[in-house]
Amino acid sequence: MLWCRKCGVAVTEPLIVQETLIHDELDGQPVEKFNIPYCPSCFSDLDDADRCACGEWKARDSDWCQECLEIRNETVQHCINEIRVQRKMELNTDQIRELMMTYFE
């Protein structure tokens, strides 16, 4: 499976472009041919894809897929807002973040 960073999606059917490299430095000028995959939507280079812990596709060098990151962001923001409401906004964002991190210690 391949991954398009620009589109942020897994690509199952890439556009394949054959590139040729001619070795002028060798007698007879041998030729190498490479099949280069490109995104069929935006024509960007593609990287290898990998599975997130949740099973969705993601970039190989990312720890989490975009959906997991969005769920995390929404959940953390909900917690920050809930703490603000419960504490009647007596804590700033840094203090709330510090408070939340103590949960994981």
Side-chain angles (χ1 to χ4, degrees):
M1 184 63 66
L2 298 169
W3 186 260
C4 178
R5 288 189 184 278
K6 188 172 182 182
C7 295
V9 296
V11 176
T12 56
E13 296 182 19
L15 177 66
I16 303 294
V17 176
Q18 190 175 73
E19 293 187 8
T20 303
L21 176 63
I22 299 173
H23 292 280
D24 294 331
E25 72 279 5
L26 300 174
D27 291 338
Q29 296 182 347
V31 174
E32 281 185 275
K33 294 185 179 186
F34 301 93
N35 289 329
I36 310 295
Y38 289 96
C39 177
S41 298
C42 71
F43 308 107
S44 294
D45 293 339
L46 297 173
D47 298 324
D48 288 331
D50 201 2
R51 292 273 187 184
C52 180
C54 73
E56 291 295 320
W57 288 105
K58 65 176 185 63
R60 185 173 295 277
D61 61 352
S62 296
D63 292 330
W64 302 98
C65 71
Q66 190 60 37
E67 189 172 338
C68 282
L69 294 174
E70 288 172 7
I71 290 169
R72 178 211 54 196
N73 293 347
E74 290 171 10
T75 304
V76 168
Q77 190 59 51
H78 174 77
C79 289
I80 289 170
N81 293 340
E82 188 64 25
I83 290 169
R84 279 196 173 127
V85 167
Q86 294 293 324
R87 296 299 302 160
K88 297 178 180 41
M89 298 188 72
E90 296 173 12
L91 301 175
N92 66 35
T93 300
D94 288 335
Q95 290 169 320
I96 293 171
R97 186 177 296 129
E98 186 178 327
L99 173 63
M100 290 173 63
M101 291 308 294
T102 63
Y103 176 82
F104 299 103
E105 294 175 352

